[in-house]
Amino acid sequence: QVQLVESGGGLVQAGGSLRLSCAASGRAFYGYTMGWFREAPGKEREFVAAISWSGGGTNYADSVKGRFTISRDRAKNMVYLEMVSLKPEDTAVYSCAAKTVYSINYQYWGQGTRVTVSS
């Protein structure tokens, strides 16, 4: 049973920072790409950031470039999303996800953690 559990969400003022964590368990995630997605009220889920197994490759949505940083600790099976200069439009439920390097779609998803940015 694969489990992805997010934490670190909360309420923050615009301009503030948060660090989201995702704990992966249930199997070895060797070779897996990890990603963060978000779903804002009334909107579809959108890609935020992804990181390769090695950690050497990262990818970001244009809306978060320069403000968000994704990282991972392979030994601990943890993935992080450091968010700074938060904006009200960053308000959403943030979920982490995992996929093999050969897969187009993410195969495993967490339940999400809510981030609310007040103006």
Side-chain angles (χ1 to χ4, degrees):
Q1 185 78 9
V2 173
Q3 278 195 317
L4 299 175
V5 180
E6 303 92 338
S7 61
L11 174 64
V12 64
Q13 289 188 329
S17 303
L18 280 175
R19 187 194 195 205
L20 306 183
S21 299
C22 173
S25 63
R27 66 172 299 149
F29 281 84
Y30 182 82
Y32 276 67
T33 294
M34 303 296 293
W36 284 96
F37 291 76
R38 67 185 182 186
E39 186 170 352
K43 296 185 178 180
E44 292 187 352
R45 183 170 60 196
E46 64 175 355
F47 168 79
V48 176
I51 188 167
S52 64
W53 162 248
S54 69
T58 57
N59 188 27
Y60 296 92
D62 288 343
S63 59
V64 306
K65 279 181 182 176
R67 300 188 299 121
F68 291 11
T69 303
I70 188 171
S71 61
R72 70 189 299 170
D73 184 331
R74 291 184 294 175
K76 296 181 179 179
N77 267 354
M78 294 291 296
V79 181
Y80 306 99
L81 186 68
E82 190 77 36
M83 307 184 294
V84 301
S85 301
L86 283 161
K87 305 174 181 180
E89 51 263 44
D90 294 318
T91 295
V93 174
Y94 286 72
S95 300
C96 71
K99 70 179 184 78
T100 66
V101 67
Y102 305 109
S103 176
I104 296 174
N105 299 315
Y106 283 81
Q107 297 146 296
Y108 304 105
W109 293 85
Q111 291 297 310
T113 184
R114 185 175 301 276
V115 173
T116 303
V117 184
S118 63
S119 57

